[in-house]
């Protein structure tokens, strides 16, 4: 049996999603809806509560704003896990590279991504992203997108209780899977339509900085050959620089200085460090002016 676990922003999930699951799953299942309409739980708490309540052999964590287009997708899950005994986590979109520098799973070249999804974008476009999967319908990755996550219950993977909010739960469970020695993969046999896009805001930046600090000994993670290590170094610098640049929008703090030091250790060129220095000085001046204005008031 498959346990479908949904952290719902409303007391009950929408009827069309309930019917969609019922009409397409194609195997026995139970539906566990965690009512988070009053925002009592973080996503980590809600999903762990779902695991505690579950009876299924496989645990499927699903967003409440999706539509599943594939008939018999539950049977596909069962087959994939039966055929890949070391598989711990299954998704539908992921990447083969996750840098040590704070970043999203998507912050890497497309050649390292395997994705099959219909995505509604902020510009009201509907795009079908289907690329990667060069060796078949299953592709091993190191991190996945949280819109659709399946675990094998017997592995006893849990979401980290130290983490809060609603971001990075997908990276969290992938790193826990990696630590336990199981594999992570994505499949293009299941097609899901996702009606909302990723919200990269202040909370996302804080969460991303936090999870990278907690799991710093498990990163970087990658499935590329040693001859491409130079490209990985360049990607580390790029991700670190971009994260720092946008994180500075939310104020200067010790974490940013620490991140700059880590970029320095990687070996970025003088030009990049000069750009970082200018951004930090500018941020410091803005904060100083803001504090002065508050005092004058």
């Amino acid at each position: 049996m498959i346990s479908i676990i949904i952290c719902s922003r409303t007391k009950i999930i929408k009827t069309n999603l309930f019917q969609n699951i019922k009409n397409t799953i194609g195997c026995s299942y139970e539906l566990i809806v965690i009512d988070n309409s009053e925002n009592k739980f973080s996503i980590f708490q809600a999903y762990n509560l779902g695991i505690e309540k579950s009876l299924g052999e496989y645990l499927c964590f699903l967003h409440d704003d999706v539509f599943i287009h594939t008939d018999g997708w539950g049977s596909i899950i069962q087959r994939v896990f039966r055929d890949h005994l070391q598989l711990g986590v299954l998704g539908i979109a992921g990447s083969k590279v996750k840098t040590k520098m704070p970043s999203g799973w998507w912050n890497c070249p497309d050649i390292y991504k395997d994705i099959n999804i219909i995505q509604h974008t902020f510009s009201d476009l509907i795009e079908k992203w289907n690329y990667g999967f060069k060796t078949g319908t299953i592709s091993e990755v190191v991190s996945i997108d949280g819109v659709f996550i399946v675990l094998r219950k017997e592995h006893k993977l849990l979401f980290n209780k130290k983490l809060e909010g609603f971001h990075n739960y997908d990276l969290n469970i992938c790193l826990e899977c990696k630590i336990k020695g199981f594999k992570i993969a994505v499949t293009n046999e299941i097609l899901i339509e996702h009606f909302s896009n990723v919200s990269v805001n202040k909370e996302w930046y804080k969460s991303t900085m936090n999870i990278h600090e907690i799991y710093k000994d498990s990163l970087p993670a990658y499935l590329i050959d040693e001859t491409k290590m130079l490209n990985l170094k360049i990607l580390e610098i790029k991700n670190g620089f971009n994260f720092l640049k946008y994180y500075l929008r939310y104020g200067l703090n010790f974490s940013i200085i620490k991140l700059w030091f880590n970029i320095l250790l990687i070996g970025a060129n003088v030009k990049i460090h000069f750009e970082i220095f200018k951004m930090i000085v500018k941020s410091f001046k803005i904060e100083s002016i803001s504090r002065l204005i508050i005092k004058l008031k």
Side-chain angles (χ1 to χ4, degrees):
M1 183 172 68
I2 295 177
S3 298
I4 301 170
I5 300 168
I6 297 176
C7 177
S8 179
R9 291 167 286 188
T10 54
K11 289 186 178 296
I12 57 174
I13 64 171
K14 294 178 180 178
T15 303
N16 60 347
L17 177 57
F18 176 82
Q19 289 296 333
N20 176 230
I21 293 170
K22 180 180 178 181
N23 294 338
T24 60
I25 190 166
C27 68
S28 61
Y29 74 98
E30 64 172 350
L31 182 59
I32 301 171
V33 178
I34 305 299
D35 174 8
N36 205 24
S37 57
E38 297 181 5
N39 206 28
K40 290 182 179 179
F41 308 110
S42 71
I43 192 71
F44 305 90
Q45 292 170 325
Y47 278 173
N48 279 340
L49 181 58
I51 293 173
E52 184 180 328
K53 292 182 175 183
S54 66
L55 299 174
E57 183 181 1
Y58 305 108
L59 312 175
C60 177
F61 302 89
L62 193 65
H63 281 198
D64 62 358
D65 58 346
V66 300
F67 185 88
I68 305 170
H69 288 268
T70 305
D71 289 330
W73 58 274
S75 299
I76 294 171
I77 287 172
Q78 293 170 331
R79 170 171 51 79
V80 169
F81 275 96
R82 282 198 304 266
D83 292 346
H84 300 82
L85 298 180
Q86 286 301 307
L87 182 61
V89 174
L90 180 68
I92 58 167
S95 64
K96 290 178 168 58
V97 174
K98 178 63 201 75
T99 58
K100 194 175 186 71
M101 289 288 105
S103 56
W105 70 264
W106 58 87
N107 291 130
C108 66
D110 285 350
I111 59 171
Y112 299 139
K113 298 173 188 172
D114 299 282
I115 299 175
N116 182 45
I117 192 171
I118 299 171
Q119 180 66 57
H120 290 235
T121 69
F122 288 123
S123 54
D124 293 327
L125 296 175
I126 302 175
E127 300 178 353
K128 189 174 189 298
W129 300 338
N130 184 9
Y131 52 89
F133 298 99
K134 296 176 182 177
T135 58
T137 60
I138 300 293
S139 183
E140 187 178 355
V141 295
V142 297
S143 61
I144 65 169
D145 186 87
V147 65
F148 181 86
I149 303 173
V150 187
L151 311 180
R152 195 192 300 265
K153 187 173 183 179
E154 66 178 345
H155 288 166
K156 298 182 180 179
L157 293 171
L158 292 172
F159 293 86
N160 195 322
K161 296 177 182 178
K162 294 180 181 178
L163 293 165
E164 301 176 345
F166 296 88
H167 301 288
N168 287 296
Y169 56 94
D170 40 13
L171 178 58
N172 164 215
I173 205 66
C174 287
L175 290 172
E176 288 293 329
C177 181
K178 177 177 178 287
I179 289 169
K180 287 200 170 187
F182 301 116
K183 292 186 177 182
I184 305 154
V186 289
T187 178
N188 64 0
E189 290 189 89
I190 299 171
L191 180 61
I192 288 178
E193 185 170 357
H194 188 206
F195 294 100
S196 64
N197 214 324
V198 176
S199 176
V200 181
N201 53 22
K202 182 178 181 179
E203 294 307 312
W204 183 85
Y205 280 96
K206 288 170 60 178
S207 170
T208 301
M209 183 68 83
N210 189 30
I211 193 172
H212 281 75
E213 178 62 27
I214 290 173
Y215 289 98
K216 59 185 177 183
D217 294 335
S218 299
L219 291 167
Y222 53 88
L223 294 170
I224 57 176
D225 61 59
E226 296 296 324
T227 61
K228 295 180 180 177
M229 285 299 291
L230 178 61
N231 291 334
L232 181 61
K233 178 180 176 180
I234 294 170
L235 182 60
E236 288 282 3
I237 295 169
K238 178 182 177 181
N239 280 351
F241 177 78
N242 286 337
F243 186 90
L244 187 150
K245 178 172 64 176
Y246 289 105
Y247 193 30
L248 270 169
R249 294 177 177 179
Y250 304 109
L252 182 64
N253 57 45
F254 176 73
S255 296
I256 287 172
I257 304 301
K258 187 175 181 180
L259 177 57
W260 183 17
F261 179 74
N262 288 334
I263 297 172
L264 182 65
L265 290 178
I266 296 173
N269 60 42
V270 174
K271 182 180 179 181
I272 288 176
H273 288 294
F274 183 63
E275 290 297 319
I276 293 174
F277 177 74
K278 287 195 299 182
M279 288 190 296
I280 290 177
V281 169
K282 181 180 179 181
S283 178
F284 178 74
K285 286 181 179 178
I286 291 172
E287 282 199 0
S288 298
I289 294 170
S290 299
R291 284 196 294 267
L292 179 61
I293 292 172
I294 291 171
K295 285 182 180 180
L296 290 174
K297 287 182 177 180

